[in-house]
Amino acid sequence: MDAQNMSITRNDNTKTNENSQPKKKPEVIQMKKSDENTVRVSFMLEQSIAEEWKDFNKNVPYKTVTLGHALRRFMNDVRSGKIKFELEL
């Protein structure tokens, strides 16, 4: 068996390969439509990102909900130091 196909079963039955970390359970973000007023804001995005976002939300009835949570999560992660946002001009 080569190293790429080798898997290790840990005591908690989590399978990994030798080079990967154990899989973490995803954080669940509960989303619901807010009673707060919404405002229309225009953003300029690369076409590929806009298409990916459209596809990501194809089955979501309120696209403002996912957009709001995505933006808030990004801003909170930057503020908390979880990620560092560097803008290259």
Side-chain angles (χ1 to χ4, degrees):
M1 179 182 285
D2 65 353
Q4 289 180 333
N5 295 324
M6 185 182 303
S7 65
I8 301 168
T9 303
R10 297 178 11 161
N11 290 340
D12 60 0
N13 294 325
T14 303
K15 284 192 173 187
T16 65
N17 65 37
E18 285 185 340
N19 298 325
S20 70
Q21 299 295 321
K23 290 186 178 182
K24 294 181 182 179
K25 291 184 179 181
E27 180 180 345
V28 176
I29 299 173
Q30 296 293 329
M31 296 188 295
K32 66 178 184 174
K33 189 170 186 291
S34 173
D35 293 333
E36 188 176 338
N37 290 336
T38 58
V39 295
R40 180 172 295 275
V41 179
S42 295
F43 292 100
M44 300 293 287
L45 296 172
E46 295 171 14
Q47 184 174 352
S48 61
I49 295 171
E51 290 169 359
E52 188 176 348
W53 185 256
K54 182 178 178 181
D55 185 56
F56 179 79
N57 281 292
K58 66 184 171 193
N59 296 321
V60 176
Y62 303 108
K63 276 100 172 124
T64 57
V65 175
T66 51
L67 180 59
H69 280 279
L71 289 171
R72 181 164 288 151
R73 175 63 182 261
F74 175 76
M75 292 183 293
N76 287 341
D77 285 352
V78 171
R79 287 184 195 119
S80 72
K82 187 173 184 176
I83 60 174
K84 184 176 181 182
F85 181 58
E86 294 182 351
L87 181 62
E88 185 176 315
L89 299 176

